[in-house]
Amino acid sequence: LTATAVAGARLGREFFARAPSEVARGLIGCSLVRDGVGGVIVETEAYAGNEPACHAFVGRTARTEVLFGAPGHAYVYLSYGIHHLFNVVTGEEGDAGAVLIRALEPRWGLDRMRSRRPGRPDPELCSGPGRLSLALGIGPADNRRDVCSGPIALHSPESAAADPVAGPRIGISKATELPWRFCATGSPWVSRAAG
DNA sequence: GCCAGGATCGTCT
DNA sequence: GACGATCCTGGCG
């Protein structure tokens, strides 16, 4: 088997200029690739500026400013002092929101992923937001980067996929009632089985 | 297989 | 000075 090129079109600014929950749902089945290394998105979460689980809920600060900015830019932040989590800013400028990419089905550049995560079996390469950042080499220097151009790219699906499964977001303590986690139906590559 | 606990640091009060 | 949008390890059964 040979890895094939990404088939779909690169997502443009307008794709991200919508409510975070719509973008999160729409990103399931799309691909995320950085410098030839990446895979198919199988798990996302939406965060909106008007609900307390979102970092932007506290308003504009040095860290959250990017969330209020133009859609289609990366928001990368340090979680628990250890892991860098990759998000894409959504909504019109001035309207804070983002989508956290939580898991990928690894597809391109597997050898580079494995060398970045020595000793890990393939199912653990990208099955979590911290894990996929390691596998793709995403770090703090990528914060605010435009994903509509440049080395981090998102592409539309090669073919239409089944509707994602929606459920509560993981690892948060506020606004847990919102069903804003989306998983590809039946995918074994998610960080946890979909509810 | 499951669960409890620890690592580690930027950001905000 | 407290708190995480997480991950890994080790103990136990």
Side-chain angles (χ1 to χ4, degrees), chain A residues 174-194:
Chain A
K174 301 164 193 165
T176 54
E177 73 283 0
L178 295 173
W180 281 0
R181 175 185 181 231
F182 300 92
C183 290
T185 303
S187 174
W189 302 98
V190 298
S191 66
R192 296 194 209 171

Side-chain angles (χ1 to χ4, degrees), chain A residues 49-88:
Chain A
N50 61 358
E51 51 91 9
C54 184
H55 289 170
F57 187 69
V58 299
R60 292 179 188 257
T61 68
R63 179 174 66 151
T64 65
E65 187 64 34
V66 61
L67 292 170
F68 291 85
H73 289 258
Y75 169 50
V76 178
Y77 79 96
L78 183 64
S79 177
Y80 289 92
I82 301 175
H83 297 106
H84 294 281
L85 273 49
F86 174 78
N87 303 249
V88 183

Side-chain angles (χ1 to χ4, degrees), chain A residues 5-189:
Chain A
V6 177
R10 187 165 190 168
L11 299 176
R13 194 87 48 213
E14 70 287 348
F15 180 91
F16 303 101
R18 297 179 284 157
S21 58
E22 295 177 32
V23 177
R25 178 180 286 275
L27 281 175
I28 298 297
C30 294
S31 62
L32 169 64
V33 178
R34 187 209 159 98
D35 293 325
V37 180
V40 177
I41 298 172
V42 296
E43 181 179 351
T44 60
E45 282 178 0
Y47 289 86
N50 61 358
E51 51 91 9
C54 184
H55 289 170
F57 187 69
V58 299
R60 292 179 188 257
T61 68
R63 179 174 66 151
T64 65
E65 187 64 34
V66 61
L67 292 170
F68 291 85
H73 289 258
Y75 169 50
V76 178
Y77 79 96
L78 183 64
S79 177
Y80 289 92
I82 301 175
H83 297 106
H84 294 281
L85 273 49
F86 174 78
N87 303 249
V88 183
V89 174
T90 64
E92 301 289 349
E93 188 150 1
D95 199 358
V99 172
L100 171 68
I101 310 300
R102 286 193 55 92
L104 308 176
E105 174 184 338
R107 185 164 298 184
W108 301 281
L110 273 286
D111 49 341
R112 294 185 64 193
M113 289 190 194
R114 294 181 186 121
S115 67
R116 284 168 172 157
R117 308 214 58 214
R120 293 281 152 199
D122 287 1
E124 295 179 11
L125 290 176
C126 295
S127 54
R131 291 172 172 182
L132 74 88
S133 289
L134 280 174
L136 272 58
I138 290 173
D142 296 308
N143 192 30
R144 298 171 174 264
R145 183 164 283 181
D146 185 10
V147 302
C148 299
S149 65
I152 299 178
L154 293 142
H155 287 254
S156 59
E158 305 164 9
S159 57
D163 278 348
V165 182
R169 294 172 293 181
I170 289 176
I172 58 168
S173 56
K174 301 164 193 165
T176 54
E177 73 283 0
L178 295 173
W180 281 0
R181 175 185 181 231
F182 300 92
C183 290
T185 303
S187 174
W189 302 98

